[in-house]
Amino acid sequence: QQQQQQADVDNRIEIFCRQHGIDVGAERVLRQLSPQAQHRVLEEGPVGGTGANPSLELMNRIHRIEAGDHDVQVSSFLMHNFVDSTAQNALRQLPMESQRTVMGLGPLLSADRSQELLARIKNLGNRGREGTEGNASNLIGQFVSENVIDASAEAALRALPTDLQQKVLEEGPVRQTNNPSAVLISRIKRVKTPGSGDAPRSRSRSRSQSRPTGSQEEKTQTPDAAVPPAQA
């Protein structure tokens, strides 16, 4: 009986998608929903009737229904595990996918369930930070290899905080320079001292603007040089 019901839903989805011109990506998302969610999506009727993109309207509908179902799941998880308001707020403030990861670890079984939930959330954050640091390390390794950076300059780059490492890497490759490692060290010094990169240039421009150029000096001297000598 369940197989027959699923076959009926699949048939309805097929007709719905062909009738409304739903693209392949939106149709795939619809087919991945639970049968209950699929039924609710289809029961809301046609899409694209007001001139909107039917696939985009369908995706918005799916996200809205998924969010509603997810909120119910979160509330049920909290209700069955009897955690305090601090732990509840900590879970609800997570992104949806992180909430699913925390709840996917199963019911809370310790004597202090609130602390167990908070520990899960903290561990999830630690894994996220480790992933970010790992990505930064991989990018540095790639940069060092592609730009032929020596060990000293590489160590200086790795010693920076992650945000400053990102700033250095965003300036692009240095392999086309005469001394890539020296250029990298110069970048590192500049990002460690905010605002130091532009000041010398501005002072240099000020001095050059205040000092007459060689051509101007030549122009002022040329008339004197052109005066013919007095005739006896």
Side-chain angles (χ1 to χ4, degrees):
Q1 185 178 359
Q2 290 181 348
Q3 291 180 348
Q4 182 60 43
Q5 289 177 345
Q6 186 59 50
D8 291 341
V9 173
D10 288 342
N11 187 47
R12 288 183 62 193
I13 290 174
E14 181 72 24
I15 295 172
F16 181 90
C17 291
R18 301 293 81 78
Q19 181 179 356
H20 300 290
I22 303 301
D23 64 34
V24 176
E27 180 179 350
R28 181 169 60 249
V29 174
L30 176 58
R31 290 187 180 278
Q32 291 173 346
L33 297 177
S34 67
Q36 294 82 2
Q38 290 173 340
H39 179 75
R40 290 171 60 189
V41 169
L42 297 177
E43 284 299 305
E44 290 196 14
V47 291
T50 58
N53 183 316
S55 298
L56 180 59
E57 186 176 343
L58 175 61
M59 289 301 300
N60 289 336
R61 183 183 295 183
I62 290 171
H63 290 325
R64 174 168 46 79
I65 289 174
E66 274 193 314
D69 289 346
H70 178 73
D71 286 342
V72 171
Q73 293 172 4
V74 171
S75 297
S76 177
F77 178 87
L78 294 173
M79 182 179 67
H80 286 91
N81 285 282
F82 304 104
V83 296
D84 61 29
S85 59
T86 300
Q88 289 184 29
N89 292 335
L91 179 62
R92 291 191 181 279
Q93 288 172 3
L94 293 177
M96 183 183 294
E97 289 304 316
S98 297
Q99 291 174 340
R100 286 175 174 166
T101 300
V102 170
M103 295 188 297
L105 296 175
L108 303 171
L109 302 176
S110 68
D112 191 338
R113 298 182 180 184
S114 297
Q115 287 301 316
E116 182 181 353
L117 178 56
L118 291 172
R120 285 188 186 182
I121 294 170
K122 181 178 180 181
N123 290 337
L124 182 68
N126 290 339
R127 287 202 299 272
R129 284 192 292 274
E130 288 170 2
T132 301
E133 292 171 358
N135 291 337
S137 179
N138 292 337
L139 289 174
I140 290 174
Q142 181 179 351
F143 182 89
V144 167
S145 175
E146 291 178 351
N147 292 275
V148 198
I149 302 300
D150 63 30
S152 176
E154 178 183 356
L157 178 57
R158 291 188 182 277
L160 292 176
T162 304
D163 58 330
L164 296 185
Q165 290 175 351
Q166 185 66 24
K167 287 183 178 181
V168 170
L169 297 180
E170 284 176 352
E171 292 192 25
V174 293
R175 61 178 177 272
Q176 74 278 10
T177 63
N178 292 331
N179 190 334
S181 297
V183 173
L184 177 59
I185 290 294
S186 176
R187 285 186 185 179
I188 291 170
K189 290 179 179 178
R190 188 170 66 251
V191 300
K192 290 172 70 175
T193 310
S196 64
D198 296 328
R201 289 197 194 94
S202 61
R203 289 196 298 270
S204 176
R205 282 197 297 269
S206 299
R207 286 196 297 268
S208 64
Q209 290 171 357
S210 62
R211 188 173 60 242
T213 62
S215 59
Q216 289 172 333
E217 292 172 353
E218 289 170 2
K219 289 178 182 178
T220 58
Q221 294 172 2
T222 300
D224 296 333
V227 175
Q231 297 181 354

